[in-house]
Each structure stands twice: as C-alpha cells, then as structure tokens.
Amino acid sequence: MKLTIGFSPCPNDTFIFDALIHHKIDTEGLDFEVFYDDVETLNQKAFRGELDITKLSYHAFAYAADKYVLLDAGSALGFGVGPMLVCKGSAEELKERLETGDRTLKIGIPGKYTTANFLISLAYPDAINKQELVFSDIENAVLEGRVDVGLIIHENRFTYQDKGLYKIIDLGDYWEKRTGCAIPLGGIVANRNLPSDIQHKINKVIKRSVEFAFANPKSGLEYIRSHAQEMSEEVMYKHIDLYVNKFSVDLGMEGKKAVKLLFDTALVNGIIPQISESLFLNP
C-alpha cells in the first residue's frame, strides 16, 4: 500500500523518517511517496486534507483536527526548544515596546498557523503587525530592516548570533515558566479517512523508524545532509538533539498532557476554535 507523506527537509524530520522511507526497517507492506515542504506549506496542505500522513504545527492541528488524528510517534516537543524573537537593534528597547503593546512594530513570522505564532500571540496579544515569511528568510529580513523583529524557529536559533542579531525573548522558555510543560511544536498526523488498522500500522512503523535512528544515528547522514540548508554536520546534529527525543518515540501521558494544555490555553485565549473530535489515536 502506497501512502503520501509530507515533512520538512529539516534535520530532525529527515533523521526521523530516513529508516521509514528507505526501508531500513520493516514497514509492514507500506510504501511512501514523500513531499518535502516548509512547515507552513505543510500546514496549508493539512487544511485541505491533501496527504495521508503529514507533519504540521500543533497550532495548525487545531484547524485540521476534523481531517487528521494525532499519532503517538514522530512529534517534536521539548524543553529549551522554543521559537525566539530576535532583533538587530536594542533588545531591551524592543522588548519594552512589545510589553507596552506597541502595535507599530513589524514582526516577521514563519506562518500564521505555526506554534511560534501561537506563542507570540499568547505572550504579546497586541503584536499584530505581522508579515509572513519563509522561516529561513526571517534573519535576513531583520538584518535588512524589512521587519523590526523576527520570530525564528528550527536551526536559526544556532545561527542568529553569528549574524549579529540579539535575542529579545525565548518563547519556549516563556511557555515552560508559565506551564511547567514541554512546548509542543510539531506533530505527525494521519488522515481520518484511512482505516483504523492502517493508522495504527503507520504509528507503529514511524515509532520503529525513530528507534532505528536513535540506535544508528549516522545511518541517515548523507540523506540528512542532502536536505539540510548549508549546515555543518555539528549544527545538523545539534538540531536533531534539540528536537528529537523521548516524545518523538511516543508522546506518552506527559506529552499528551502538554498537547492538551496547549490547546486548552489557546481556546481560552480565543486563538483557536472549539474542537469536537478526539485529538489522539485511539488505543
């Protein structure tokens, strides 16, 4: 059975899915056609229900829960992994302007439905002058003055200082201090149109793929490198270490609690609509 699957070309995703798509593990008769896209493109595809399996932002999942169910395997949650607000000028001055509700600040964001945008909406509800950019262009947009502040994700947290940018706030740290929970960034979902046994089989083989990657961390090196954007091997594996962890193998009760808290907080603050479907894969 051939299934369509979408994930980003970032090292954490290619690390997770290498064994799956290259049949280094038993995929139990499943084969995969892969689509590589940035996270906001994947979010938009999820809204349309285009793919059988896809990575998406947890924020976006709130708008696609009628079409997809969250798998236990493959997620990116963690501590110290959140998006960061950066600037070229005085970080203290810009933080003060954000905290006093200055609506004139132009903010570059990696997409309306990213978890990063959810977090800035929660921390700074008056920060509404936003410009959507591909995540990899945000640093340059700040440096060139196209935006005042940039909301960076992925490997950019390792590169912003080298480019002469300064941290205003780590929004992952903001979330952790507020809730005590890991921040849910991205999840792997299966189309609700798929039979339940296929959804469970997908979950099982993704878990197997993550476990293989942990046991053989250099197995997918060439594949990971071929999709990484001008990244050294050291940065690639820093990226992987940051975003791939126990929650990527299985959300477990701790991970599910963090996801539910994210959705409950977003709902209370009017950031997402009410969801009637069960979020998680049934046992």
Side-chain angles (χ1 to χ4, degrees):
M1 182 178 187
K2 191 157 195 172
L3 299 168
T4 53
I5 183 168
F7 52 86
S8 83
C10 293
N12 57 306
D13 284 350
T14 49
F15 178 80
I16 283 174
F17 290 107
D18 168 61
L20 179 85
I21 65 170
H22 294 119
H23 294 278
K24 296 177 182 179
I25 55 163
D26 179 9
T27 61
E28 302 188 21
L30 299 180
D31 200 6
F32 302 92
E33 181 183 0
V34 183
F35 295 84
Y36 301 98
D37 289 298
D38 70 273
V39 65
E40 190 65 359
T41 301
L42 292 169
N43 291 341
Q44 294 294 332
K45 285 185 175 182
F47 299 153
R48 298 189 293 270
E50 285 185 14
L51 300 170
D52 295 316
I53 310 149
T54 189
K55 172 82 174 273
L56 46 49
S57 301
Y58 270 105
H59 184 188
F61 182 39
Y63 296 86
D66 60 327
K67 296 180 176 66
Y68 290 94
V69 63
L70 181 64
L71 301 181
D72 297 328
S75 276
L77 286 81
F79 295 94
V81 300
M84 300 171 74
L85 272 177
V86 299
C87 64
K88 185 171 64 171
S90 168
E92 284 304 314
E93 178 197 338
L94 287 164
K95 187 173 185 180
E96 186 178 339
R97 288 174 65 186
L98 283 162
E99 289 174 347
T100 54
D102 185 343
R103 297 188 171 202
T104 65
L105 277 177
K106 187 179 287 186
I107 302 165
I109 64 168
K112 179 180 178 181
Y113 296 102
T114 56
T115 302
N117 190 44
F118 158 74
L119 286 171
I120 192 175
S121 300
L122 189 63
Y124 302 115
D126 289 320
I128 57 173
N129 188 12
K130 298 172 181 175
Q131 181 177 342
E132 293 186 58
L133 300 165
V134 176
F135 82 91
S136 54
D137 189 39
I138 290 175
E139 287 173 319
N140 285 336
V142 177
L143 288 167
E144 294 163 9
R146 287 183 275 138
V147 294
D148 301 306
V149 174
L151 184 55
I152 59 169
I153 57 174
H154 300 325
E155 65 272 11
N156 295 128
R157 68 181 295 126
F158 301 121
T159 60
Y160 77 94
Q161 288 175 307
D162 293 339
K163 295 187 177 180
L165 297 173
Y166 301 93
K167 178 178 78 173
I168 298 171
I169 186 174
D170 182 327
L171 288 167
D173 184 59
Y174 161 82
W175 173 261
E176 289 162 30
K177 286 176 178 170
R178 177 180 171 132
T179 67
C181 287
I183 177 65
L185 297 169
I188 306 297
V189 294
N191 203 300
R192 292 186 187 270
N193 290 335
L194 294 169
S196 177
D197 64 317
I198 298 298
Q199 292 175 2
H200 281 84
K201 185 180 285 191
I202 293 164
N203 188 59
K204 194 193 309 180
V205 298
I206 292 175
K207 180 178 181 180
R208 194 174 293 154
S209 186
V210 182
E211 290 173 334
F212 181 93
F214 275 134
N216 306 274
K218 299 288 179 153
S219 174
L221 177 58
E222 291 310 313
Y223 170 62
I224 296 164
R225 182 183 281 135
S226 71
H227 290 281
Q229 296 186 353
E230 300 176 14
M231 232 180 287
S232 69
E233 184 175 329
E234 180 189 6
V235 170
M236 286 192 313
Y237 279 94
K238 272 187 182 177
H239 184 112
I240 291 163
D241 289 344
L242 200 62
Y243 296 107
V244 188
N245 53 37
K246 67 178 183 179
F247 298 116
S248 308
V249 178
D250 192 322
L251 279 172
M253 294 303 296
E254 185 184 355
K256 288 180 178 179
K257 177 186 173 185
V259 171
K260 191 171 186 311
L261 181 61
L262 182 90
F263 278 63
D264 289 347
T265 304
L267 188 61
V268 166
N269 286 273
I271 298 171
I272 62 168
Q274 184 73 48
I275 299 166
S276 55
E277 293 82 0
S278 171
L279 298 176
F280 305 105
L281 190 66
N282 291 324

